[in-house]
C-alpha cells in the first residue's frame, strides 16, 4: 500500500504536540513511539497534549503514568479593574490549555491595596498548594511572607507587578519602565510638535504597585529626555477605581482647561473616558491606558482613547504554569517559556 501523508499523522502534528507539551520534537517522538529514557511526568504531558490534539487514542493517553496534579493558586486583587477580572476569568476558562501540564489552578481574590491581607493569604494558601502566582504589593509583610514560603519549599511567582529584593522565583509581565517610556512617546506624538508646552496628567492605581511606580518613572524619564517643555501636572492615585478616575479627571479638566493629554497608568480607564465625554473633550485630549478589555475597546472604537498598552491574559497564565511545571520536573525555570511581550493596540488594529 503506498504511503500517504494522511496515514502518517506524525508528519503533520508532531511539532504541534511537542509545542503544546513544552518539549522538543525528539522527546515527543520518543514518547509517542514508547521508547525509554523519558521521565514519567514528561511522558504524561506529551500524551495528554497528543490526546488534546486528537493525535492519540484515548486508551493510550489514559495509560500514561498518573501522578497527583500540582495545585497552583493565582492571587489577584479584588476591585473594579476590568483587566484583572478578565485575568481571573481566563484562569477558570483555560482548563484545556492546562491539561498537558498536570496542574489544577484556582483563583483567590484578596482585598486590594492591603499588604497584610495579601501576606496572610499567601501564607494560608502555602499550606495546601504547590505554587502561588500573585500580583505583588511593595511591602515588608509581603516580602516576609514570600521568604517564609520559600523556606517551606513553596515557590512563588509575581505577575503584572513585581516585588523587589524578594525570594520569588520569577516575574511574569511587562517591562513596566519600557511601557511608561512608550506611553510618554506616544502621548507626545499624539499631542503634536506644535504644542511643546502642552499640559499632561498622570493617573495611577497606587505607587504601592511597583508596576505603576516603574511606569511613572519610565514616562518621566523619556519626557525629560525628549519633551522637556511639556508640563507634567503631577500624579494622582485612583486605586484602579472607575468612580475615582472619573472624579479626578473631572477636576483636572476644571482646573486645567487646556490639558492636552492623560496617561492612565493603572486600570479602569472607563472612568477617565466618561469624564472626557461629559466635558465634550473626548476628541481633544489624548488618552493612553493599559489593558485591553471591553471597556477600553469601546473607548478605542469611539475615539475617546488613542492607544492601549496590553499583555495577553493567556500568555501570563501559561508562562506561570510552564515555570511551575519546570520546577516540578527539575528543569531550568525558563525552559520553553515564552516571554510576555507588550502589545500596543489602536482602533485600527483591534484584534
Amino acid at each position: 500500500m503506498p504511503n500517504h501523508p494522511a496515514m502518517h499523522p506524525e508528519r503533520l502534528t508532531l511539532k504541534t504536540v511537542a509545542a503544546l507539551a513544552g518539549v522538543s520534537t525528539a522527546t515527543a517522538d520518543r514518547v509517542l513511539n514508547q521508547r525509554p529514557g523519558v521521565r514519567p511526568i514528561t511522558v504524561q504531558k506529551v500524551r495528554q497534549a497528543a490526546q488534546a490534539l486528537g493525535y492519540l487514542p484515548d486508551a493510550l493517553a489514559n495509560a500514561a503514568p498518573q501522578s497527583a496534579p500540582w495545585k497552583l493558586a493565582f492571587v489577584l486583587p479584588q476591585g473594579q479593574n476590568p483587566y484583572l477580572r478578565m485575568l481571573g476569568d481566563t484562569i477558570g476558562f483555560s482548563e484545556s490549555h492546562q491539561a498537558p501540564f498536570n496542574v489544577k489552578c484556582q483563583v483567590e481574590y484578596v482585598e486590594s491595596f492591603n499588604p497584610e491581607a495579601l501576606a496572610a493569604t499567601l501564607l494560608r494558601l502555602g499550606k495546601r498548594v504547590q505554587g502561588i502566582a500573585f500580583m505583588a504589593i511593595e511591602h515588608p509583610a509581603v516580602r516576609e511572607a514570600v521568604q517564609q514560603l520559600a523556606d517551606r519549599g513553596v515557590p512563588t511567582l509575581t505577575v503584572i507587578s513585581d516585588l523587589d529584593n524578594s525570594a520569588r522565583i520569577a516575574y511574569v509581565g511587562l517591562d513596566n519602565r519600557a511601557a511608561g517610556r512608550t506611553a510618554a512617546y506616544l502621548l507626545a506624538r499624539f499631542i503634536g510638535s506644535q504644542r511643546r508646552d502642552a499640559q499632561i496628567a498622570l493617573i495611577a492605581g497606587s505607587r504601592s504597585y511597583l508596576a505603576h511606580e516603574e511606569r511613572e518613572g519610565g514616562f518621566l524619564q523619556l519626557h525629560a529626555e525628549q519633551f522637556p517643555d511639556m508640563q507634567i501636572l503631577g500624579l494622582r492615585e485612583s486605586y484602579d477605581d472607575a468612580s475615582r478616575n472619573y472624579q479626578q479627571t473631572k477636576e483636572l479638566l476644571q482646573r486645567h482647561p487646556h490639558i492636552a493629554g492623560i496617561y492612565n497608568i493603572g486600570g479602569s480607564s472607563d472612568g477617565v473616558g466618561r469624564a472626557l465625554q461629559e466635558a465634550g473633550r473626548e476628541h481633544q485630549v489624548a488618552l493612553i491606558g493599559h489593558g485591553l478589555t471591553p471597556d477600553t475597546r469601546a473607548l478605542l472604537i469611539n475615539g475617546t482613547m488613542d492607544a492601549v498598552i496590553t499583555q495577553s491574559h493567556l500568555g501570563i497564565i501559561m508562562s506561570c504554569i510552564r515555570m511551575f511545571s519546570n520546577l516540578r520536573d527539575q528543569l531550568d525555570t525558563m525552559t520553553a517559556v515564552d516571554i510576555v511581550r507588550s502589545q500596543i493596540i489602536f482602533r485600527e488594529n483591534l484584534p
Side-chain angles (χ1 to χ4, degrees), residues 76-90 109 112 160 238-243 245 264 266-272 290-299 305 308 310-311 313:
L76 301 173
Q78 293 173 337
Q80 297 184 18
N81 188 315
Y83 182 85
L84 295 178
R85 293 203 305 269
M86 286 181 66
L87 178 61
D89 291 342
T90 303
Y109 292 97
S112 300
I160 301 177
S238 67
Y239 300 99
D240 285 349
D241 182 271
S243 60
N245 275 347
N264 185 30
S268 300
S269 289
D270 52 321
V272 180
H290 283 266
L292 185 62
T293 64
D295 306 82
T296 54
R297 187 183 189 90
L299 292 172
M305 205 163 191
V308 172
T310 194
Q311 52 194 316
H313 294 100

Side-chain angles (χ1 to χ4, degrees), residues 32-48:
L32 296 178
N33 286 287
Q34 302 185 57
R35 293 195 293 270
V38 184
R39 283 176 298 183
I41 189 63
T42 304
V43 172
Q44 181 178 353
K45 286 198 298 185
V46 172
R47 288 182 173 176
Q48 287 180 337

Side-chain angles (χ1 to χ4, degrees), residues 135-157:
M135 185 169 171
I137 298 175
E138 272 290 329
H139 194 275
V142 179
R143 195 170 287 104
E144 178 62 21
V146 170
Q147 183 62 58
Q148 289 186 35
L149 290 171
D151 293 342
R152 284 156 42 185
V154 181
T156 58
L157 295 170

